[in-house]
Amino acid sequence: MIDGLIEEAYARGTVRAVTPTPEGHDQYLLDRVGDPTRREAPVAVRVRADGRFSLATADGGAISIGQVAALCGLTGRIADRTQPFPFRQAR
């Protein structure tokens, strides 16, 4: 499910940044739904090197994948596959 959410976030242009963590995970910073000026803090989602969900945080606490989807307006269904999907960052 996390790969579908991240891919959808890329397709919608809501990925602010992707950075590696000290643990070797990729951390995606996602825009919240209804925040086009990016004034609110992003939702941080960590994905392990094997592509599995590790941790998501928002407003100072851990949240679930479902809460990520709700906060970011994502469904996990990929609507547009015309753009390439850079799931793993080159290091």
Side-chain angles (χ1 to χ4, degrees):
M1 179 170 180
I2 192 63
D3 56 338
L5 287 177
I6 298 296
E7 189 166 349
E8 181 184 2
Y10 269 110
R12 291 182 181 213
T14 60
V15 177
R16 277 192 205 181
V18 182
T19 57
T21 67
E23 298 86 13
H25 302 156
D26 287 336
Q27 179 168 275
Y28 296 85
L29 299 180
L30 307 179
D31 289 332
R32 295 168 185 250
V33 68
D35 185 29
T37 58
R38 295 182 168 180
R39 292 185 181 194
E40 294 185 51
V43 175
V45 178
R46 289 185 180 191
V47 179
R48 298 184 338 193
D50 63 4
R52 296 184 64 185
F53 173 77
S54 175
L55 174 69
T57 57
D59 302 322
I63 60 174
S64 69
I65 295 176
Q67 289 170 312
V68 170
L71 285 172
C72 300
L74 303 171
T75 63
R77 293 186 296 271
I78 297 95
D80 179 10
R81 293 197 56 108
T82 60
Q83 296 179 339
F85 175 54
F87 188 77
R88 297 289 301 154
Q89 279 285 52
R91 296 185 195 202

